[in-house]
Amino acid sequence: QVQLTESGGGLVQAGSSLRLSCAASRRTLSDYHMAWFRQAPGKEREFVAAIAWSTANTYYADSVKGRFTISGDNARDTLYLQMTSLTPEDTASYYCAAGLPTSLLGTTPSSYHYWGQGTQVTVSP
């Protein structure tokens, strides 16, 4: 069983930056594909970014490409999401997820088996 705990959310103004963290309960980054998703009120959970630690491959949603960076610290079992140039459209609860590695990085929630409880990011105009 893998437990994931997100932190780092908050209320910021448009144009600001935030770094989200996701601490894993045990060695996870090297054994799983890791990802960030987000969900705004009344909307479906949306893929943000994913990373395959073994190959260093990353993949981003078009809406965040060039603004967000996914990374991890294997020694600390911690996944990060560096977010820059935030806009009100980025307002959502952000979730980290871990999934068994496959040949491709998954972009749907069903590709991931373990989830954190989420951290709220609110971007004011």
Side-chain angles (χ1 to χ4, degrees), residues 10-20 38 64 67-68 81-91 94 121-125:
L11 171 63
V12 297
Q13 290 186 328
S16 299
S17 299
L18 272 178
R19 188 178 78 160
L20 305 183
R38 66 186 181 186
V64 306
R67 300 188 300 123
F68 291 11
L81 184 69
Q82 179 68 49
M83 306 185 294
T84 64
S85 302
L86 286 163
T87 73
E89 288 68 37
D90 296 315
T91 295
Y94 283 72
V121 173
T122 303
V123 185
S124 62

Side-chain angles (χ1 to χ4, degrees), residues 68-80:
F68 291 11
T69 302
I70 187 171
S71 65
D73 185 334
N74 197 29
R76 296 176 182 269
D77 288 320
T78 302
L79 180 74
Y80 301 104

Side-chain angles (χ1 to χ4, degrees), residues 28-52:
T28 302
L29 269 62
S30 60
D31 292 343
Y32 293 84
H33 286 179
M34 303 294 297
W36 288 96
F37 286 77
R38 66 186 181 186
Q39 188 167 17
K43 294 188 177 182
E44 293 186 353
R45 192 161 294 190
E46 174 189 30
F47 170 77
V48 175
I51 185 168

